Amino acid sequence: MPETPEWQIQPAATLPADFGQWVSQYLPESDGQYAAQLLWQRGIQRQEQLVGFVDPQHYQPTSPFAFGQEMEWAVERLRTAYQTAEKVAIWGDFDADGVTATAVLWDGLGAFFPQHERLNYFIPNRLSESHGLSSAGIQQLAQQGYSLIVTCDTGSSNLPEIQLARSLGVDLIITDHHLLLPDRPPVVALINPRKLPSEHPLVHLSGVAVAYKLVEALYETLPEVPQRPLSDLLDLVAIGLIADLVQLTGDCRYLAQQGIIALQKNQDPINPPRPGIAKLLELCRRSGDRPTDISFGIGPRINAISRIQGDARFCVELLTSSDRDRCHQLALETELANSRRKALQRDVLQQAKQKLAQLDLSTTPVIVLADPQWSVGILGLVAGQVAQEYGRPTILLTLESAALSDAHPLLARGSARSVSQIDLYDLLQQQAHWLQGFGGHPFAVGLSLPVENLPAFTQSINQAVRVKYGEITPPTLQADLAVPVADLGKHLFQELRLLEPYGMGNPVPKLLIRDCWFSKPWHRKIQDLTGRKLAYIKTEFEICDDSCPDGFPGIWWGHYKDELPLGRCDAIVELDFNSYEDARRKKRYEVRLVAVRASSPVANAAASLDWLLDWRGPSQQPPASNETVLQLTNCPASWDELEVWLRQAQQTQQKLALAYGAPSLDSPRVLWEQFVSMAQSLSKTGAWVERYSLQQELGLSSQSFQVGCQTLEKMGFAIDMAEHRLQIRWIGSAEAISDPELNNPTLTAARQHFFQTVQEEQFRQQYFYQAPLATIQAVARQMMI
């Protein structure tokens, strides 16, 4: 079962009167009490701190030459390349930070080196290659006459490739922010903020910000050459910084603030400075004036290209080209890739949870799962979701085809994400003898290993965590402020916006609303650009409390309305402003639901439902007893189904055990093929069979079974029903039964409806398998009233 986070509420501090007055100067429409509390909690407690934190015009940015001699060496080598007309290659990376860093160097160095003629860029393919330099790529660039490679967001630890480049006469300037080798590699310059002291204002720079600092230093050294101002690059810097989730303090915060100001210029409908970014903002229904426009809009779309297609090179063109028609075409491809990413991510998450249902998590501090059908491009996203939900470091791997040689074993390749301050990079260093390769950060790592090492690696890394960290503590969820619903809206939003941009070290404020309830809930599947509905749900609602019974609008991504509690509860939300407007909806302030739990009175009442037992999953064994217990063995797909059993238990005065196992997550296509095969067999015998037994054999609910029967009828079968029994006969042509979908668009549409019905049902069943017993008890209590 997923871990239920323990809620922690930040206590309100008693603030000095003058501090509140300082904050209120920036908020003419409110007293600033909430903003002052947040700033004080986050260490902004002096007036000089406040001024530089809130207003970037009062922050003194750090010189790029604070990197010392390494920056001087890099600039001198670039000046030599400029003066001697050398060919320069940019080596980037495929995530949003790496792509924007490549774009910054492409535009920035493009002021000194003619693009395509003496300047080009290379980005590895996410699906077939890994992060970092590669020997094949370096050899290819050397053969093409490139004498200097400038990396961005990569390269610090690629010693064999660095040595190869040196042997081929290719110089390297490394700009990166990933972990360093113990000894400096043989490169012209190594510009990496990890070499700086921990309190240095540049220490948290991401890859794009380090690349920007290199361009800034070159602009200062050769100011007569560039034709465009350096500030034109700041929108790209903001995208990479915010998308990479680095700590936004010091120069990182300053650059993000200035970059968001630059990003807003792309709202110009006639002449946006970057038409590709302008189109992305239009497609994701954002205006570009908020950091969330990057973290929930532009960033995921840039990342989606390499996750789905592998090749992220055209993202650089999308971000830097001035050809509006070309940018529009590329932006549309990006949007469709992001829609595909969402659906694929949801499918893999469901499959991972099905595998997790077979594990004893009480003895598993590190989750390691592998599946040959998983796409490597989205494993990092899913690993992050699993790690947060289950409170454990998570490693997800796919299995890659091997060459027909003993020298090329089958590989497991994927991504890992961590929680609870567990340093995954350090752990993998200890397990390096099992691995082919790995790299990344303490909390996000990519890795590969021979498949035959997987069992030993899993055992070894779990043992290492037990020894170093002991028992994994349950995850916690921190609420920053307690607010009534009546305070939600424009004025509170303006106070919270004073702290933007948010990031690590300054997270989005989470608001606790006590003793609230939900009204007007409804859910729908989101659609892609073509209008096709995706298997990705969002629920809309009104959240109410005694201060505001009429409610305030909100959304809950990835959840059905049935998952909302029916009675009073406590909720943690984030306040946002939705700037999208169309014929059906105006711009509005709204909350995003983060978590919900029964409020104390309901929780206490629900606890008295001792007749509702939890025997779900392999680790929940029924106690040895002669007592007769009513057992629900088929996982329900709705509260209505569960209510039938609750009423039966109440009427018969029996205990009810939730005794179902993990629901089947077989693909709808496989279930359909089984359904057709069963129908063909029954049509040959003409036998009458029990409908319920067929449902159980296929693992379908009454609704999905009914939809399946209707689809069979469109295929050419006749289905006769009498009470609880049915008979299946074939009445179509002999040719059709061998190829029933030939020239039959009606059947294709009906089968698609069956697939969607099954997918939605599986999603609901997964919820009823994973929902904590306390949640089910709380809802049951409301049903029994």
mmCIF file of all heavy atoms in Angstrom, residues 606 609 612-614 616 658 770-778:
data_model
loop_
_atom_site.group_PDB
_atom_site.id
_atom_site.type_symbol
_atom_site.label_atom_id
_atom_site.label_comp_id
_atom_site.label_asym_id
_atom_site.label_seq_id
_atom_site.Cartn_x
_atom_site.Cartn_y
_atom_site.Cartn_z
ATOM 1 N N ALA A 606 -15.386 7.255 12.085
ATOM 2 C CA ALA A 606 -15.053 6.165 11.166
ATOM 3 C C ALA A 606 -14.295 5.061 11.872
ATOM 4 O O ALA A 606 -14.404 3.882 11.532
ATOM 5 C CB ALA A 606 -14.221 6.710 10.003
ATOM 6 N N LEU A 609 -16.028 1.895 13.017
ATOM 7 C CA LEU A 609 -16.484 0.882 12.069
ATOM 8 C C LEU A 609 -15.532 -0.311 12.113
ATOM 9 O O LEU A 609 -14.849 -0.630 11.141
ATOM 10 C CB LEU A 609 -16.550 1.461 10.644
ATOM 11 C CG LEU A 609 -17.883 2.109 10.241
ATOM 12 C CD1 LEU A 609 -18.085 3.393 11.015
ATOM 13 C CD2 LEU A 609 -17.914 2.385 8.754
ATOM 14 N N LEU A 612 -15.588 -3.282 9.478
ATOM 15 C CA LEU A 612 -15.030 -3.195 8.132
ATOM 16 C C LEU A 612 -13.547 -3.548 8.210
ATOM 17 O O LEU A 612 -12.751 -2.835 8.826
ATOM 18 C CB LEU A 612 -15.217 -1.782 7.574
ATOM 19 C CG LEU A 612 -14.807 -1.571 6.106
ATOM 20 C CD1 LEU A 612 -15.556 -2.511 5.178
ATOM 21 C CD2 LEU A 612 -15.036 -0.118 5.688
ATOM 22 N N LEU A 613 -13.180 -4.698 7.634
ATOM 23 C CA LEU A 613 -11.834 -5.250 7.779
ATOM 24 C C LEU A 613 -11.042 -5.096 6.490
ATOM 25 O O LEU A 613 -11.605 -5.095 5.388
ATOM 26 C CB LEU A 613 -11.923 -6.735 8.155
ATOM 27 C CG LEU A 613 -12.860 -7.084 9.318
ATOM 28 C CD1 LEU A 613 -12.917 -8.586 9.517
ATOM 29 C CD2 LEU A 613 -12.397 -6.386 10.600
ATOM 30 N N ASP A 614 -9.730 -5.014 6.622
ATOM 31 C CA ASP A 614 -8.840 -4.854 5.467
ATOM 32 C C ASP A 614 -7.996 -6.109 5.287
ATOM 33 O O ASP A 614 -7.018 -6.321 6.002
ATOM 34 C CB ASP A 614 -7.947 -3.634 5.665
ATOM 35 C CG ASP A 614 -7.193 -3.265 4.386
ATOM 36 O OD1 ASP A 614 -7.386 -3.958 3.370
ATOM 37 O OD2 ASP A 614 -6.440 -2.282 4.412
ATOM 38 N N ARG A 616 -6.887 -6.821 2.093
ATOM 39 C CA ARG A 616 -6.412 -6.638 0.715
ATOM 40 C C ARG A 616 -4.929 -6.969 0.596
ATOM 41 O O ARG A 616 -4.149 -6.689 1.507
ATOM 42 C CB ARG A 616 -6.629 -5.189 0.273
ATOM 43 C CG ARG A 616 -8.077 -4.796 0.128
ATOM 44 C CD ARG A 616 -8.221 -3.306 -0.122
ATOM 45 N NE ARG A 616 -7.810 -2.506 1.031
ATOM 46 C CZ ARG A 616 -7.743 -1.178 1.041
ATOM 47 N NH1 ARG A 616 -8.042 -0.510 -0.053
ATOM 48 N NH2 ARG A 616 -7.373 -0.536 2.137
ATOM 49 N N LEU A 658 -12.667 -6.512 3.130
ATOM 50 C CA LEU A 658 -12.194 -6.157 1.787
ATOM 51 C C LEU A 658 -11.097 -7.153 1.450
ATOM 52 O O LEU A 658 -9.930 -6.975 1.799
ATOM 53 C CB LEU A 658 -11.665 -4.729 1.771
ATOM 54 C CG LEU A 658 -12.615 -3.648 2.319
ATOM 55 C CD1 LEU A 658 -11.957 -2.277 2.247
ATOM 56 C CD2 LEU A 658 -13.932 -3.660 1.560
ATOM 57 N N GLN A 770 -5.885 0.611 -3.407
ATOM 58 C CA GLN A 770 -4.822 1.332 -2.720
ATOM 59 C C GLN A 770 -5.317 2.283 -1.633
ATOM 60 O O GLN A 770 -4.541 2.692 -0.772
ATOM 61 C CB GLN A 770 -4.001 2.141 -3.733
ATOM 62 C CG GLN A 770 -3.267 1.275 -4.734
ATOM 63 C CD GLN A 770 -2.643 2.100 -5.837
ATOM 64 O OE1 GLN A 770 -2.965 3.269 -5.986
ATOM 65 N NE2 GLN A 770 -1.788 1.490 -6.621
ATOM 66 N N ALA A 771 -6.596 2.666 -1.681
ATOM 67 C CA ALA A 771 -7.103 3.661 -0.730
ATOM 68 C C ALA A 771 -6.897 3.180 0.705
ATOM 69 O O ALA A 771 -7.197 2.025 1.034
ATOM 70 C CB ALA A 771 -8.579 3.925 -0.996
ATOM 71 N N PRO A 772 -6.389 4.030 1.598
ATOM 72 C CA PRO A 772 -6.244 3.632 3.001
ATOM 73 C C PRO A 772 -7.595 3.240 3.599
ATOM 74 O O PRO A 772 -8.633 3.800 3.240
ATOM 75 C CB PRO A 772 -5.683 4.895 3.663
ATOM 76 C CG PRO A 772 -5.066 5.685 2.553
ATOM 77 C CD PRO A 772 -5.887 5.398 1.340
ATOM 78 N N LEU A 773 -7.555 2.291 4.526
ATOM 79 C CA LEU A 773 -8.792 1.841 5.161
ATOM 80 C C LEU A 773 -9.503 3.009 5.837
ATOM 81 O O LEU A 773 -10.741 3.082 5.819
ATOM 82 C CB LEU A 773 -8.481 0.748 6.187
ATOM 83 C CG LEU A 773 -9.701 0.160 6.918
ATOM 84 C CD1 LEU A 773 -10.662 -0.507 5.946
ATOM 85 C CD2 LEU A 773 -9.259 -0.826 7.991
ATOM 86 N N ALA A 774 -8.748 3.937 6.423
ATOM 87 C CA ALA A 774 -9.382 5.069 7.099
ATOM 88 C C ALA A 774 -10.230 5.900 6.135
ATOM 89 O O ALA A 774 -11.299 6.393 6.493
ATOM 90 C CB ALA A 774 -8.313 5.955 7.749
ATOM 91 N N THR A 775 -9.758 6.041 4.900
ATOM 92 C CA THR A 775 -10.525 6.781 3.891
ATOM 93 C C THR A 775 -11.821 6.057 3.565
ATOM 94 O O THR A 775 -12.898 6.664 3.504
ATOM 95 C CB THR A 775 -9.686 6.968 2.615
ATOM 96 O OG1 THR A 775 -8.504 7.695 2.943
ATOM 97 C CG2 THR A 775 -10.468 7.713 1.552
ATOM 98 N N ILE A 776 -11.736 4.732 3.366
ATOM 99 C CA ILE A 776 -12.932 3.954 3.045
ATOM 100 C C ILE A 776 -13.900 3.970 4.221
ATOM 101 O O ILE A 776 -15.126 4.079 4.053
ATOM 102 C CB ILE A 776 -12.542 2.521 2.646
ATOM 103 C CG1 ILE A 776 -11.692 2.549 1.362
ATOM 104 C CG2 ILE A 776 -13.776 1.650 2.463
ATOM 105 C CD1 ILE A 776 -11.186 1.192 0.931
ATOM 106 N N GLN A 777 -13.367 3.898 5.436
ATOM 107 C CA GLN A 777 -14.232 3.939 6.619
ATOM 108 C C GLN A 777 -14.953 5.278 6.724
ATOM 109 O O GLN A 777 -16.138 5.336 7.062
ATOM 110 C CB GLN A 777 -13.398 3.691 7.878
ATOM 111 C CG GLN A 777 -12.970 2.247 8.063
ATOM 112 C CD GLN A 777 -12.084 2.080 9.281
ATOM 113 O OE1 GLN A 777 -11.271 2.940 9.585
ATOM 114 N NE2 GLN A 777 -12.264 0.971 9.980
ATOM 115 N N ALA A 778 -14.226 6.367 6.424
ATOM 116 C CA ALA A 778 -14.841 7.687 6.523
ATOM 117 C C ALA A 778 -15.998 7.825 5.540
ATOM 118 O O ALA A 778 -17.066 8.339 5.873
ATOM 119 C CB ALA A 778 -13.790 8.769 6.281
#
